[in-house]
Amino acid sequence: CHPAQQALYTGETGLPGASGDPDVMFEAEVECTGCHDLSSETSFAGMQEMCVECHETGYDEMLTEWATDIQEVLGKSLVGLDRARRLVAGPKQRGADVLESEALLQQAESMIRLVEAGKGTHNYPMSLELLTAADEKLASALDRLGLMTGTP
């Protein structure tokens, strides 16, 4: 039902920049219902309770830390993507060859959108890898056009 979450969870994203390692919970053969109570409306607090049911207290806070980390890095990547798109638009309007840069932007956007749609906590390490790889692609896209004026 949720292809982005499943791609992160299983490690099968089909995207470069990801190790391909599945989430540890997937490796332990934990199904969706191990973390999500499908009989009620899913809430973050409900997921935290599920963490503590199998693990000790503290795992609920780990989930909070992961979600906070992912949102912070994701937010920066989204800003970087927007900035890179605006910077590449200038040379494109002037007739410059921006095909390689646009391809890198598209790859970066695919990585960023997967983490965004898949809720990065479904594979915390891979989500961070994807966002780092996306940021590198954004920088490369700008560098190809001589537009590196700071971190995207």
Side-chain angles (χ1 to χ4, degrees), residues 55-74:
H55 305 282
E56 66 266 7
T57 301
Y59 274 79
D60 52 340
E61 290 306 313
M62 184 176 70
L63 181 61
T64 301
E65 290 171 17
W66 286 0
T68 301
D69 288 351
I70 293 293
Q71 286 306 308
E72 182 179 321
V73 177
L74 177 61

Side-chain angles (χ1 to χ4, degrees), residues 23-25 34-35 44-67 121:
D23 187 77
V24 295
M25 297 293 279
C35 299
F44 194 79
M47 287 182 284
Q48 286 180 302
E49 289 174 19
M50 299 289 279
C51 292
V52 175
E53 281 185 26
C54 293
H55 305 282
E56 66 266 7
T57 301
Y59 274 79
D60 52 340
E61 290 306 313
M62 184 176 70
L63 181 61
T64 301
E65 290 171 17
W66 286 0
T121 54

Side-chain angles (χ1 to χ4, degrees), residues 22-43:
D23 187 77
V24 295
M25 297 293 279
F26 177 80
E27 289 181 324
E29 300 181 1
V30 175
E31 295 187 17
C32 300
T33 54
C35 299
H36 301 278
D37 180 359
L38 303 180
S39 67
S40 65
E41 185 175 326
T42 302
S43 70

